[in-house]
């Protein structure tokens, strides 16, 4: 039986792009910045395009957005403070589709875990770590702690090892194309989340798991 391994930000959790757009709707001073929020924006986002082309990393993308938002509202803040501002806008950051998929997988006796690059880096020691959703997983592997970031093949090996399964028996879900490619190179079944229609990825993952 296959195991389920989920990315967190943008996959199990709503994406920073969605939350930046929401922040722009609530704060008029941020509308110009929030209009550039990757595939969800009303304006082109050249910085996102550079990230997708792997010219810069995710952390650099969000560092720039953090600085832009801070300048617009007159606040000098850290990336972690910026992420807190984004994620505390909503009562529940976990996608309902992720909750349903994890529940179905657990009910079927499948190992379920998370493999993330930035949980501690973006949210600190506590942050989102006390979410009931995370407490219900068999394992959470955070590259902020291990130092081995996706798409490094070793990151996927660590994720599979934490669930005590072979990589070939893992269905991995992520919203970044290079992580999808990395998971496939590691031998996993990889399902990419389209931020414009995230529910579709969870339906496909359920099929791949045979649920």
């Amino acid at each position: 039986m296959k195991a389920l391994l989920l990315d967190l930000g943008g996959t199990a959790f709503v994406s920073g792009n969605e939350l930046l757009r929401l922040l722009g709707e609530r704060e008029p001073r941020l509308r110009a910045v929030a209009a550039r929020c990757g595939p969800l924006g009303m304006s082109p986002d050249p910085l996102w395009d550079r990230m997708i082309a792997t010219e810069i990393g995710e952390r650099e993308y969000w560092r720039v957005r953090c600085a832009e938002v801070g300048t617009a509202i007159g606040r000098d803040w850290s990336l972690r403070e910026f992420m807190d501002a984004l994620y505390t806008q909503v009562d529940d950051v976990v996608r309902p589709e992720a909750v349903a998929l994890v529940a179905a997988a657990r009910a079927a006796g499948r190992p379920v875990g998370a493999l993330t690059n930035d949980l501690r880096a973006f949210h600190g020691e506590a942050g989102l770590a006390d979410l009931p959703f995370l407490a219900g997983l068999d394992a959470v592997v955070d590259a902020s702690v291990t130092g081995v970031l996706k798409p490094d093949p070793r990151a996927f090996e660590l994720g599979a090892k934490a669930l005590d399964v072979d990589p070939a028996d893992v269905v991995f879900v992520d919203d970044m194309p290079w992580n999808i490619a990395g998971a496939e190179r590691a031998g996993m079944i990889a399902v990419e989340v389209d931020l414009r229609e995230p529910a579709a990825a969870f339906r496909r993952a359920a099929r791949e798991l045979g649920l």
Side-chain angles (χ1 to χ4, degrees):
M1 294 197 303
K2 291 182 173 62
L4 174 64
L5 190 61
L6 296 169
D7 171 52
L8 292 180
T11 301
F13 300 164
V14 293
S15 69
N17 306 79
E18 292 162 86
L19 294 169
L20 179 58
R21 184 173 62 180
L22 177 61
L23 195 63
E25 292 170 357
R26 294 177 171 180
E27 173 52 74
R29 292 176 294 174
L30 296 179
R31 285 176 184 164
V33 176
R36 303 188 305 276
C37 55
L40 305 178
M42 299 296 292
S43 300
D45 188 350
L47 191 68
W48 179 269
D49 296 338
R50 288 186 63 202
M51 184 183 71
I52 294 300
T54 67
E55 294 175 11
I56 62 171
E58 285 183 83
R59 291 183 188 179
E60 179 61 22
Y61 176 85
W62 287 110
R63 274 194 288 267
V64 173
R65 287 286 171 264
C66 170
E68 290 176 337
V69 171
T71 298
I73 62 175
R75 181 172 178 179
D76 182 15
W77 56 5
S78 68
L79 180 57
R80 192 168 295 171
E81 290 170 323
F82 170 59
M83 286 294 171
D84 285 344
L86 287 182
Y87 278 86
T88 54
Q89 295 179 95
V90 293
D91 293 331
D92 191 352
V93 301
V94 184
R95 296 192 190 279
E97 298 89 352
V99 173
L101 179 60
V102 167
R106 294 301 298 270
R110 311 300 179 85
V112 180
L115 176 61
T116 177
N117 274 357
D118 300 307
L119 184 61
R120 184 179 294 183
F122 282 176
H123 302 287
E125 289 278 352
L128 302 175
D130 59 350
L131 284 175
F133 175 82
L134 295 181
L137 302 180
D138 295 306
V140 176
V141 179
D142 182 4
S144 299
V145 177
T146 67
V148 184
L149 276 68
K150 300 173 291 184
D152 188 317
R154 295 173 298 165
F156 300 101
E157 292 169 6
L158 288 172
K161 183 178 180 180
L163 295 177
D164 196 25
V165 296
D166 188 87
D169 293 323
V170 172
V171 176
F172 174 71
V173 189
D174 198 291
D175 63 315
M176 289 295 145
W178 52 83
N179 293 336
I180 293 297
E184 290 174 340
R185 287 193 296 271
M188 295 180 176
I189 298 168
V191 179
E192 184 172 357
V193 175
D194 184 339
L195 295 180
R196 295 163 295 189
E197 191 187 358
F202 293 95
R203 291 193 296 267
R204 184 188 158 197
R207 292 194 299 270
E208 296 288 359
L209 288 163
L211 300 176

